[in-house]
Amino acid sequence: MIYWVLKTVVLGPLLKLLFRPWVEGEEHIPEEGAAIFASNHLSFSDSIFLPLMVPRRMTFLAKSDYFTGRGVKGRATAAFFRGVGQLPVDRSGGKAGEAALSSGLRVLRRGELLGIYPEGTRSPDGRLYRGRTGVARMALEAGVPVLPVAMIGTDKAQPTGKKLPRIMRIGIRIGRPLSFARYEGMEDDRFVLRSITDEIMYELMLLSGQEYVDEYATSMKDRIVRAAKVRARELQEAARPGSAAKELEEALDAAEGVEEQRESPLDNVPIGDDWAPAEGGEDDADQMRAPGEAGERAAS
């Protein structure tokens, strides 16, 4: 009830008036039946505009922290995220990946639409990063198609750290549904899961025009944070006692900015984390220069 009130009466009309979002590939949206919408992730507002422009209800998986807050603010936050179609997932413990998978499968088995960010978190620099294989396992277990979705311009409308978006036009490109029926019954084969995920990421790369990086976005974020902290320490040591060097402040701000990227309610939901490669495992056996090359080997 709250979902449709927000979508059709409160937020929806206002956002459409202000941002005038455009959609390509709307004909690919199924009128009925379950499907996964696998999207690139540039901004917090991706999770607002994508469900807004899809006629049917769409559910995203979000970390449970945003549903357990106390006081008036905590209850209001939880009500908002439930209202816009978010489903809480507990990220703690070793069973977090299975919990996310089970939550998503329940949505799909009800014949509904599920939104997923295969990268697992927002892009730290606007590029497209390697996908987690949870989306592939979910598609196989539920037997549903995957629609690749490219969000366009949301990172410019609402960059990381900006609480209110800038008024500008944003876009959504929805690709043709991808069927993986040929892999039925192979959801426990990690090479098949990687092949499917790479195919999805390849379609996202074509739709979005983003540069592809064969690395997990979380790894890149960690490296950026470490580099910023090292730089900050170097400047702190070089600064004279009692003075605040401009370079030090900029380095600290940069480190804090990257840390803020982890605070999206949909970031780092561990879909596929349980199937992420261990050291010396999948990454060594399945390096690729562009998404899809590993898939060709798996398919053959």
Side-chain angles (χ1 to χ4, degrees), residues 197-211:
T197 305
D198 289 348
E199 184 176 340
I200 294 169
M201 301 311 293
Y202 182 75
E203 292 296 325
L204 285 179
M205 181 181 69
L206 295 180
L207 285 172
S208 67
Q210 292 172 274
E211 176 186 350

Side-chain angles (χ1 to χ4, degrees), residues 39 76 85 92 95 102 115 125 141 242 253 260 265-267:
S39 174
S92 61
K95 300 295 184 180
S102 298
D125 53 17
E141 291 205 13
D253 288 343
E260 285 180 358
L266 296 162
D267 285 354

